[in-house]
Amino acid sequence: TETELVYTSSNSSIASVTNKGIVTGHQNGTATITVSTVDKRLTATVMVEVGELVTSLKLNHTELNLNKYETSVLSVTYTPNNAIAKGVKFISQDENIVMVDQIGNIKAVGVGETQIIAKSIDGSEIIAKCLITVKQKVTKLSIASIAAQTFTGSKIKPELTIKDGGY
């Protein structure tokens, strides 16, 4: 048998509910939606928050140049400022070059170029990108010794050793 349910809103100017349970948001704020049996023996509630989705994201950097093993931090500015579901998922396009955690801490782990993408978590699919170029920091450069001699135009090719700034 089908039981008749009654739906109510604690504040219908923020969120109203139809007799079929369809909730419509009207203005920013929170309201409690209650569903109960007609005899009120069974009741359930849910709090709904009505607000705006993120319309744009801006990162504190759109481009970064780092040396291998350097770190930096990406931070996000949301529009509108009062968006209800602020938050992003950070994604590295190539974790062999740059790793990123979910609070925006980045670490250059390889040489090359990649992007970090910040994607809004509110379902709006809004993204912001930062292009990161990682170079290898040279910490030691040496040329194999060449005996002091007088050169008469002949070419020599010294042996070159480069060491990176690895830890």
Side-chain angles (χ1 to χ4, degrees):
T1 64
E2 190 172 307
T3 303
E4 187 177 341
L5 300 174
V6 177
Y7 296 88
T8 58
S9 171
S10 65
N11 191 336
S12 58
S13 65
I14 292 175
S16 61
V17 61
T18 69
N19 61 357
K20 300 280 186 197
I22 298 170
V23 177
T24 303
H26 301 291
Q27 64 182 4
N28 292 352
T30 58
T32 301
I33 304 299
T34 304
V35 59
S36 59
T37 55
V38 172
D39 61 8
K40 305 254 187 233
R41 286 185 335 126
L42 300 172
T43 301
T45 61
V46 64
M47 186 189 81
V48 295
E49 184 176 9
V50 179
E52 298 181 49
L53 294 178
V54 170
T55 57
S56 73
L57 299 171
K58 183 177 180 182
L59 295 174
N60 59 325
H61 300 283
T62 56
E63 291 185 14
L64 271 175
N65 293 304
L66 299 173
N67 288 318
K68 188 175 177 183
Y69 306 114
E70 280 187 319
T71 61
S72 189
V73 178
L74 292 175
S75 60
V76 183
T77 302
Y78 300 87
T79 303
N81 192 39
N82 65 344
I84 59 168
K86 291 181 180 177
V88 295
K89 179 178 182 180
F90 286 103
I91 302 161
S92 174
Q93 293 296 94
D94 189 338
E95 290 187 341
N96 292 315
I97 298 172
V98 175
M99 296 184 350
V100 62
D101 67 16
Q102 288 311 300
I103 57 173
N105 296 311
I106 59 176
K107 182 175 183 180
V109 295
V111 175
E113 188 174 274
T114 191
Q115 286 186 333
I116 298 295
I117 297 173
K119 182 178 179 183
S120 177
I121 62 168
D122 68 358
S124 65
E125 302 295 317
I126 302 296
I127 63 169
K129 298 177 182 180
C130 178
L131 177 65
I132 301 177
T133 303
V134 179
K135 295 183 179 176
Q136 185 150 333
K137 184 177 182 179
V138 177
T139 58
K140 184 175 182 182
L141 182 63
S142 61
I143 298 176
S145 65
I146 300 172
Q149 54 184 297
T150 304
F151 293 97
T152 58
S154 61
K155 296 180 182 180
I156 61 168
K157 184 174 182 180
E159 184 179 313
L160 184 63
T161 304
I162 300 173
K163 293 187 178 179
D164 75 7
Y167 296 94

